[in-house]
Structure formats: C-alpha cells, structure tokens
Amino acid sequence: MIVELGHFALWLGLALSVVQATVPLIGSRMGSARLMRVGEPAAISVLALIAISLWALIYAYVASDFSVINVIENSHSAKPLIYKISGTWGNHEGSMLLWIFILVLFGAFVALFGKNLPQTLRANVLAVQGMIGVAFMIFVVASSNPFLRAAIPPIEGQDLNPLLQDIGLAIHPPLLYLGYVGFSICFSFAVAALIDGKIDAAWARWVRPWTLTAWIFLTGGIAMGSYWAYYELGWGGFWFWDPVENASFLPWLSGTALLHSALVMEKRSALKVWTVLLALITFSLSLLGTFLVRSGVLTSVHSFATDPTRGIFILCILMIFIGGSFALYAFRAGSLTTGGLFQPISREGALVLNNLFLSTAAATVLIGTLYPLALETITGEKISVGPPFFNMTFGPLMLPLMVMVPFGTQLAWKRGDLWAATQRLTGAMLIALAAILTTLIFVDRTALLAALCIGLGTFVIVGSAVDLAQRAGVGKQKASVAWARFKGLPRSAFGTALAHAGLGVTLLGITGVTAFETEVTTALKINETTQVGEYTLTLRAVQPHQGPNYVEDRVIFDVSKNGAGKGGIMSAKRVYPARQMPTTEAGIRTFGVNQLYVSAGDPTQDGGVVVRAWYKPLVLLIWFGSIVMMIGGTLSLLDRRLRVGAPTRVKAKKSAEATA
C-alpha cells in the first residue's frame, strides 16, 4: 500500500508540475498577478508529493519489500540499515527520484524565500523549474519507474553492488545532486530573465546565492566521490580523469566561472551577456553529465544504467532545454547592453581572465571526454583519452590561474595598479620562495616542477591572508584598531579568502602525493617485512571474518618506523555471496596529513600474499582543501549582502526609519 502511495504521489506531482510550468508563465505574459501567484503553492505542493514518493521508496528498502523489482535488484535483508537507505539512490531509478526531489526542493525554496524577487521574474523562474520537473518526471514514470511490482516476489534480494556499500556512497550522491541539480535554479533564472527581456545588476545579486549554494554542494560531492574512489577501489589514486568524473567536474569549472562573472555583473553591471550564457552552460553541462551516467554510452564504475532507450529519452530532454535556451539566448542577445567599462588592469579584468582560463579548461576537459565517443560514432574506431592528455592540457591552464588569484583580490575595481598589488604581495612571494627552496634542499633537489607547485600553493594561501590583513589595515593602523577592523570585516571577505586558500591547500596535496609518493609491490609471508617510504610493514596474520552479508580474509600488518612501533593496519579481500563479487578493502594509516596505504592482493602458491603499498605524503590536504573551500563558500553565503532580497529589506528598513 505504501509503495502504491509513493507511485500515486509521483503521478500527482507530475500533474501539479504541469500546472507550475504553465499557469505562472501565462500569468506573466498576461500581466495577471493572480495567475503568477499560482507557481508558489504549486512548487511547495510538488515538493511535498515528491517527498512522499521518495519516502515510500526508502520505506520499501528498509522493510526489504521484495515485491518491488527495484528493491529485489538492489537490496538484501542482511544488508546493514544505512546501506538499505543509501541503496535507494544506489541505482538508476532511485537516484532519478532523488534527482527530481532535489530539483523540486530548489524550486520550493525559490517560492518560500524569493518573496522579494520581482513577481514576474519569480513566476518565470518557477515556471521554467516546473518545465524541467515535468520532463524528468515523465522520464521516470515512462522508462524508469522505481515502484514496479514483481509478479512473483522472491524470498531474498540480489543485494546492492558491493562497491556502493560504503558510507562514502551514502553521502556522495546527495551532495553531488545538490550541486548538479542546484544549478537548475541558475538556469531557470537565466531563461526567466531572457523571457522577460530584463537582465541587470539586481539579477546578478539574486542569482549569486543560488549559484554559490550549488557550488558548495558540488565541491563537497566531488571531494567525497574522490575520497571514496581513493579508499574503496583499492587502486590508491584520487582522480583518474574517468569520463563520469569529468562529467561532474565540468559544471564545477563553469559554475566557478559563473560565480566570478556574476560578481563583475553585480558590482560593475558588466559581462551581462557572458554571465547569462554561463548560467545556461553550467546546467547544460549538468544535464550532459546525467546523460553520460545513464545512457549506456560509457562503461564506468560510476555509471548507473546501460539502457540506450533511456539515453535517447535523456538526449531528447537535453535537446529541448539546451537547444531551446540557447535559441532564446540568441534571440535576446542583441538587445542586451554590455554594461560598465573597465581597464584591463583592474579587478574586473582579473575576473575576466579568470573566466577565460576556467572556460578554456572546461572546454579542454569536455573535448577530451567526448572526442572518443564522437570518433567511435563516426568511424567505429575505439580510442582512450586518459590522464596523460588531461595532465598535459589541464595543468598548464590551471597554474597561471593560480598565480592570478592573489593579484585579483589586490586590484581595485575599474582601474587597478599592478605594481602596487605586487608590492603588497611581496611578503607572500618571499614565503613562497622559501617554500620552493625548502622543498629543493630538504626533500628532492631534482623536483623543480614540484617545488614550484609547492611554492605556488603557498603563495595562494599566504596571499589570501594578505588580502584580509590589507582590509584590516595591518601595518597601517594600531594593533587594536586593526583587530577591530579585522573582526568587523564582512563574512564574504573571510569566505573569499578561505575559498582561495582551500584551492592552494588542495594544490599542495596534489603536488605532494604526485611528486613524492612511494610505491611497493611485493609478496609477503607471515612475519616478512617490506619498506614503504619511511615505514616498515610486517605481515602478522591472515584471518577469516564473517560480515553481515559478506565473508572476507583480513590481512593484518604491523607498522614501525626506525624500529619504533606505529600501530597496525588491515586490508581485506571481501566476497559478497549474493552478488558473487569480490572487492578489495584498503588499509589506511594516517600520520598527520600523510597516509600509509596498503592493498592486499591474491594469495601466492607458496602461502604468501601479494601486497601493494604506498606512502602518500600530504595526500589528506587534497580533501582538506575542499573542506576549506566549502567553509569559505558557506561563510560567503551567510553574508547578509549575498542573500536574496537583502537590498530590498535594507531599503524598506531605512524608509520606515525615515517615516518614523
């Protein structure tokens, strides 16, 4: 009965989404305030209905209702509760329902918290959001229904893919979708403004919080997915330039460019045409990622579906929304004004250069991802574009961008002084030079490129601190005055500094683990040892263990350094009987920001075990930097000046005070 309730709620949500997609839009064209207001209760009601639908599917998983085909194919009664819940979105049908839930969630947030938006703009935004919802709800009910019943329910399910039975995969998809799908609001704002024919600095202020929210979640989703692949797949890498990884990275790159472009538009009323185009491109790349994951054109551990029929359905959705939005953009672009002018050496100029590098980097990743697919379609030839291509093309674009980051914050709006900015950053440059020399002298005298990257990461981090110090007047004011000014800085200033510093921290982590990693592959017997970097591994025991829905052989090691014990570490070879699928559970021991990583392989004929081990210096900085970026974005979001409608409330408050 609960499953049928969820199915009915999904259909009812579809019907109400049709109302949301049409009535407010008609009202905005007719100038009818009553019709435009229909979008708000419709969006909130659709959220309630889809929430009921998602809850019903989660209930079916938790209750192990094997009369539902989706539960049969992706669950098992012995599976731990957390993985029963996460199994809801660990498959194509359930993940699409989560996708739709997040889509309507953002639409409802506009309805609830966008009261200070112009009524016409709000109505158009909700209508466009409703159109996207209608398209994907039709897709789900027509080809990806998660509520289908089995004619003869089995006693037991087939279990979830063992690789997905991990806490990281319980968190990663919701975070990623909050970013992916969150950019739909930016898309809806852009299309709504194009329909209305009015795009100004106020529009940029309204769209920035939504962009920032989606960017924060997408950053977290990508970082969580990277860390999951690092420790769960047993390969020891944090990024492989897998096409599905790239599909999530593309909207992050364009979304980052959109954040900076919207800032220029808000402050200087410039880059209007470009900012709107970026809003369209960012969600278009999110839709492209959805297509790649679910169409069957890619084979990846990250992909959900292999049904080409579903791929064609999603491709039609892409053509409608991407094609329609770009056609509307082409129709309106000629009527959009260019906005304020500025000198090349200025903060606007730095942000434009930032957009140029980010857009070029996104184009490079897009070409590398889609070229093999296009070539196979046209000629039938299969090729692979792997890490060497991306490292040789993406890296050189990012390094100059990192150099620019500290300079951009030191330049004034409209007209800046590059020499003065350089003088203010002299201290940061000297500290970066010290980091370079320290790396060359004490770590590796031949690692010049790695040392330069270490120095660059240090420069970005210290440059972010210099920006805050300059704003507070450190060195120009008394310590007490500077401290008072520092505490009084807006949250967005701290948020910007932290986001930029997080980028530098991540660069340090990538450089450290890429340049200075130590790897050993050997076969060990009980009590035999091997040296990995600064640490000695001693194989102590191989023990069988029975889990709730798996069996495993645990390979236990002792870790020591210079004869001193440093604890133990355990890797395992695990088998899930329901799926008859083996997995490798990596053993990880953390020392500060460094890690010792051990992956046990197959047993040898002489009673040993194949062991692959790495010592990974600074590796945790990769994900710590992502967390710092998320904290920075959150601080900026909490700044009242960046929240939707804040200018209106301030103005209203001042008017009330003047009247009193």
Side-chain angles (χ1 to χ4, degrees), residues 564-603:
K566 296 294 182 180
I569 190 170
M570 182 190 73
S571 180
K573 295 294 290 184
R574 183 177 293 179
V575 176
Y576 290 77
R579 287 255 178 174
Q580 285 299 303
M581 181 175 175
T583 65
T584 299
E585 302 298 314
I588 300 175
R589 184 83 179 180
T590 300
F591 303 97
V593 295
N594 312 315
Q595 286 190 333
L596 185 63
Y597 186 109
V598 181
S599 179
D602 296 325

Side-chain angles (χ1 to χ4, degrees), residues 12 56 132-133 157 175 254 348 377 383 417 419 454 470 501 511 517:
L12 198 57
I132 301 171
L175 277 178
S254 60
E348 296 96 324
T377 301
I383 66 168
D417 188 334
W419 175 244
I454 292 288
Q470 290 288 332
T511 303
E517 174 182 271

Side-chain angles (χ1 to χ4, degrees), residues 122-328:
R122 184 169 70 250
N124 288 337
V125 168
L126 291 175
V128 175
Q129 198 75 1
M131 293 175 192
I132 301 171
V134 168
F136 279 95
M137 287 182 208
I138 291 175
F139 170 63
V140 168
V141 298
S143 67
S144 307
N145 191 344
F147 297 106
L148 294 178
R149 293 280 195 179
I152 304 176
I155 297 175
E156 191 54 85
Q158 299 171 14
D159 208 355
L160 180 66
N161 184 334
L163 292 175
L164 305 183
Q165 294 188 40
D166 181 84
I167 189 63
L169 260 291
I171 302 170
H172 166 58
L175 277 178
L176 195 67
Y177 290 174
L178 283 165
Y180 251 172
V181 186
F183 283 122
S184 65
I185 285 293
C186 309
F187 176 87
S188 296
F189 265 95
V191 173
L194 289 171
I195 292 172
D196 201 32
K198 184 181 179 182
I199 300 174
D200 52 20
W203 177 88
R205 177 175 283 272
W206 289 320
V207 82
R208 273 187 68 207
W210 301 104
T211 306
L212 187 56
T213 300
W215 181 87
I216 292 167
F217 283 117
L218 187 56
T219 301
I222 292 173
M224 186 70 255
S226 168
Y227 192 62
W228 166 80
Y230 167 75
Y231 72 76
E232 178 64 24
L233 300 184
W235 62 309
F238 62 91
W239 193 263
F240 195 66
W241 294 107
D242 179 279
V244 180
E245 289 178 331
N246 296 348
S248 65
F249 192 41
L250 283 167
W252 187 89
L253 289 170
S254 60
T256 305
L258 175 59
L259 271 176
H260 292 86
S261 180
L263 179 63
V264 176
M265 184 175 170
E266 178 189 338
K267 298 292 185 181
R268 298 288 302 140
S269 194
L271 303 183
K272 293 180 181 179
V273 176
W274 175 242
T275 304
V276 172
L277 180 61
L278 275 177
L280 300 179
I281 289 174
T282 300
F283 184 60
S284 297
L285 291 173
S286 294
L287 290 177
L288 177 64
T290 301
F291 169 73
L292 291 175
V293 173
R294 301 170 190 281
S295 61
V297 301
L298 294 176
T299 300
S300 167
V301 69
H302 302 84
S303 59
F304 273 116
T306 57
D307 186 350
T309 305
R310 292 169 174 169
I312 293 172
F313 206 127
I314 297 177
L315 189 61
C316 291
I317 294 176
L318 261 69
M319 292 173 62
I320 293 170
F321 285 100
I322 298 177
S325 63
F326 278 96
L328 179 60

Side-chain angles (χ1 to χ4, degrees), residues 311-541:
I312 293 172
F313 206 127
I314 297 177
L315 189 61
C316 291
I317 294 176
L318 261 69
M319 292 173 62
I320 293 170
F321 285 100
I322 298 177
S325 63
F326 278 96
L328 179 60
Y329 174 82
F331 177 73
R332 288 289 194 186
S335 63
L336 299 177
T337 58
T338 56
L341 301 177
F342 51 87
Q343 294 295 319
I345 305 299
S346 62
R347 186 169 297 191
E348 296 96 324
L351 292 172
V352 168
L353 203 56
N354 158 290
N355 269 226
L356 177 63
F357 277 103
L358 285 172
S359 301
T360 306
T364 299
V365 176
L366 181 65
I367 291 170
T369 303
L370 297 184
Y371 177 72
L373 301 178
L375 185 66
E376 183 179 355
T377 301
I378 296 171
T379 66
E381 181 183 356
K382 291 187 177 182
I383 66 168
S384 175
V385 176
F389 167 81
F390 294 104
N391 293 337
M392 290 294 293
T393 56
F394 183 81
L397 287 170
M398 286 295 100
L399 293 181
L401 177 61
M402 299 285 281
V403 174
M404 289 163 40
V405 168
F407 282 96
T409 59
Q410 294 299 312
L411 294 173
W413 292 102
K414 194 174 182 180
R415 183 191 297 272
D417 188 334
L418 185 59
W419 175 244
T422 303
Q423 289 179 312
R424 288 191 288 270
L425 289 169
T426 300
M429 293 178 186
L430 291 175
I431 295 174
L433 179 60
I436 293 172
L437 294 176
T438 300
T439 303
L440 291 174
I441 295 171
F442 296 103
V443 181
D444 188 344
R445 295 184 179 183
T446 64
L448 179 59
L449 180 58
L452 290 174
C453 289
I454 292 288
L456 182 55
T458 304
F459 177 58
V460 173
I461 295 168
V462 180
S464 300
V466 168
D467 179 45
L468 293 176
Q470 290 288 332
R471 288 170 175 261
V474 175
K476 298 179 181 179
Q477 304 286 343
K478 293 180 179 180
S480 58
V481 175
W483 176 244
R485 290 180 60 176
F486 180 81
K487 292 191 295 182
L489 289 176
R491 291 173 183 171
S492 60
F494 291 104
T496 299
L498 281 175
H500 291 166
L503 193 62
V505 171
T506 295
L507 178 60
L508 292 180
I510 292 172
T511 303
V513 73
T514 303
F516 306 119
E517 174 182 271
T518 302
E519 180 182 354
V520 174
T521 302
T522 187
L524 296 178
K525 296 180 182 178
I526 302 297
N527 295 326
E528 288 187 341
T529 65
T530 186
Q531 191 72 22
V532 188
E534 302 174 340
Y535 297 90
T536 301
L537 279 178
T538 303
L539 178 59
R540 285 303 179 205

